[in-house]
Amino acid sequence: MRSLYVHIPFCREKCNYCDFVSDKASRAQREAYLALLVREGELYRNLAPKDGLSTIFFGGGTPSLLRPEDFAFLLDCFRNSFGFDSDMEITVEANPEGIDGSYCKELSSLGINRISFGAQAFQDHLLKAMGRRHRSDDIAKAVSLARESGFSNINLDLIYGLPGQTMADWRESLVAAASLPITHLSTYGLKLSQASPWGRRLSAGDLSLPHEDLNADMQLYAMDFLEGQGIHRYEIANFAKSGFKCRHNLAYWRRQDYLGLGLNASSLLSRDVRTRNYSSMNFYRDAVERGTFPHEEKENLSDQEVMEEELFLSLRLVEGISLKSFEEKYGYNFFTQKKGQMVKLFEAGLIIVEKDQLKITNRGVLLNNEIASLLI
């Protein structure tokens, strides 16, 4: 286990599309939660990797609501529990309006070397509709401050498929993002659950979303445009300049063990054990204070489920999946066991094989789940 995810469930206010576990909290409540994170981490000392952690990702919520001294406290405790590799990737998610130069410099001095801004869009009317507190000018300012403070690895998140969003809006956002000194870009198609304000409005018929054909055009346009800007797709929704792929997220997609700490956090603790923590703060706190794992769900996966997960996750990556390695691990040969489906997918231009690697084409990206289902 060389990757650690830490969930910080605090926000100033909930965005209209969000169903993540997050809420407002006082300073005392935040400090109490940080202490719980440390105690939970200590329950997993036996998983400490020989060479220490390689990546840490502080996600949320809004991790940048924490003070630099809070991050210093957590990092010191995690270093004691798990050890740190000499070449760590440590990411903090932040809102563009929530930081200043002094804050960025203090984070950088702690060894935090990757920052991810929830930009979401560059049109103020869309940001306002989403319930975001920042405006488009804040995004460029935040990136500039991070750069000046020593961050050489900066990500922006963008969302497509927003209510009222046009292709012109999407192009404008991509052009604006690519013009900034960022190294990574994540593009997410809007997905709503009924737990979100927009999800409830959609169910009530009080909200309309762009047609799925427009969403597909937006996704394809992002792939073409960003490639031309030297920001290369390496996963279905993620793009990076050379040398700046997110190592933490690659651990997920390559199905490597990882530990998630905090409210509602998920873990892959071994090849076949997945867990998810309580989403209730009371249940989470009670379990950790008792010295027990705060698992709301624990799933022991079958060999078939492990194989299916690896296929689905690997095909999300541009690098694809090694046919030889997959057959050695699972005794599964796609050309023997799924010959008909392979031929159809080849002829449709949805998959290719290059040097033993089975890959989904750009055209196939729009149907990645359906392709994986056909092959398993």
Side-chain angles (χ1 to χ4, degrees):
M1 185 279 296
R2 303 206 65 202
S3 293
L4 174 66
Y5 174 80
V6 185
H7 186 66
I8 307 299
F10 309 128
C11 282
R12 287 191 176 94
E13 58 189 56
K14 204 91 159 175
C15 296
N16 288 325
Y17 56 84
C18 181
D19 66 347
F20 291 167
V21 175
S22 62
D23 207 345
K24 298 178 181 179
S26 67
R27 167 52 51 190
Q29 289 172 318
R30 292 177 193 176
E31 291 178 350
Y33 180 75
L34 300 186
L36 291 173
L37 288 175
V38 171
R39 291 184 65 176
E40 184 190 0
E42 291 171 348
L43 299 175
Y44 293 96
R45 279 180 176 268
N46 64 308
L47 297 181
K50 179 180 178 182
D51 298 321
L53 292 173
S54 176
T55 72
I56 300 178
F57 195 107
F58 291 96
T62 309
S64 56
L65 289 178
L66 298 184
R67 302 170 300 177
E69 51 263 44
D70 295 329
F71 285 111
F73 167 68
L74 290 175
L75 290 171
D76 284 344
C77 293
F78 296 150
R79 186 182 290 107
N80 289 335
S81 291
F82 304 111
F84 282 6
D85 193 330
S86 59
D87 182 28
M88 290 284 289
E89 176 195 85
I90 306 178
T91 302
V92 168
E93 289 185 335
N95 284 345
E97 83 287 357
I99 64 162
D100 57 26
S102 174
Y103 185 85
C104 286
K105 288 176 183 176
E106 290 189 74
L107 292 191
S108 181
S109 71
L110 295 174
I112 295 169
N113 52 16
R114 187 174 184 272
I115 192 163
S116 177
F117 290 114
Q120 317 309 11
F122 278 82
Q123 295 75 37
D124 288 348
H125 70 281
L126 292 178
L127 292 169
K128 182 178 180 180
M130 282 186 271
R132 302 294 292 177
R133 295 170 66 93
H134 72 275
R135 295 298 178 257
S136 57
D137 289 347
D138 295 321
I139 302 169
K141 181 181 177 182
V143 171
S144 178
L145 287 173
R147 273 285 178 186
E148 292 169 2
S149 303
F151 281 94
S152 59
N153 195 352
I154 301 172
N155 172 67
L156 292 184
D157 290 343
L158 293 177
I159 300 178
Y160 61 89
L162 294 166
Q165 186 181 38
T166 66
M167 177 59 85
D169 291 331
W170 181 236
R171 291 193 187 104
E172 183 179 62
S173 288
L174 290 170
V175 169
S179 71
L180 298 175
I182 62 170
T183 53
H184 193 282
L185 191 64
S186 298
T187 62
Y188 299 107
L190 180 69
K191 290 182 173 58
L192 297 176
S193 79
Q194 289 194 348
S196 68
W198 271 357
R200 292 190 291 272
R201 286 184 57 191
L202 185 66
S203 296
D206 188 35
L207 185 75
S208 60
L209 300 178
H211 192 276
E212 60 182 17
D213 288 346
L214 177 56
N215 287 346
D217 288 342
M218 289 179 174
Q219 191 174 5
L220 291 171
Y221 181 83
M223 289 189 281
D224 290 340
F225 173 77
L226 293 172
E227 183 67 28
Q229 301 298 308
I231 308 175
H232 310 291
R233 186 174 69 84
Y234 67 98
E235 191 268 346
I236 281 179
N238 286 271
F239 305 77
K241 292 183 178 179
S242 180
F244 288 98
K245 296 175 183 177
C246 180
R247 286 161 45 197
H248 183 86
N249 287 341
L250 280 172
Y252 296 157
W253 298 316
R254 290 172 177 167
R255 210 177 179 281
Q256 298 166 355
D257 295 355
Y258 60 90
L259 173 63
L261 298 181
L263 210 61
N264 205 48
S266 297
S267 304
L268 180 64
L269 298 178
S270 67
R271 173 182 175 274
D272 58 355
V273 177
R274 283 196 177 277
T275 65
R276 185 179 64 80
N277 283 352
Y278 288 112
S279 57
S280 159
M281 181 66 84
N282 289 337
F283 288 169
Y284 171 76
R285 181 183 59 247
D286 291 347
V288 173
E289 289 181 345
R290 289 195 309 269
T292 59
F293 296 115
H295 298 160
E296 184 168 4
E297 297 177 3
K298 183 176 181 180
E299 186 177 10
N300 294 99
L301 303 174
S302 67
D303 289 343
Q304 177 71 18
E305 288 170 326
V306 170
M307 180 177 72
E308 290 177 4
E309 273 196 6
E310 180 166 339
L311 176 64
F312 273 83
L313 290 170
S314 297
L315 287 182
R316 292 186 62 90
L317 292 166
V318 170
E319 68 189 36
I321 188 168
S322 166
L323 296 171
K324 180 180 179 182
S325 174
F326 198 82
E327 184 171 9
E328 288 174 349
K329 278 195 277 188
Y330 303 111
Y332 194 93
N333 184 295
F334 294 103
F335 288 101
T336 300
Q337 290 159 276
K338 292 290 180 179
K339 181 179 179 180
Q341 288 87 338
M342 290 285 282
V343 169
K344 290 179 181 178
L345 292 171
F346 274 122
E347 290 177 345
L350 301 178
I351 62 171
I352 57 173
V353 174
E354 292 181 342
K355 297 180 179 178
D356 181 55
Q357 294 293 121
L358 173 62
K359 306 176 183 182
I360 291 180
T361 64
N362 280 3
R363 182 179 177 186
V365 162
L366 301 176
L367 299 168
N368 64 296
N369 287 334
E370 291 83 349
I371 292 169
S373 295
L374 284 173
L375 294 179
I376 209 69

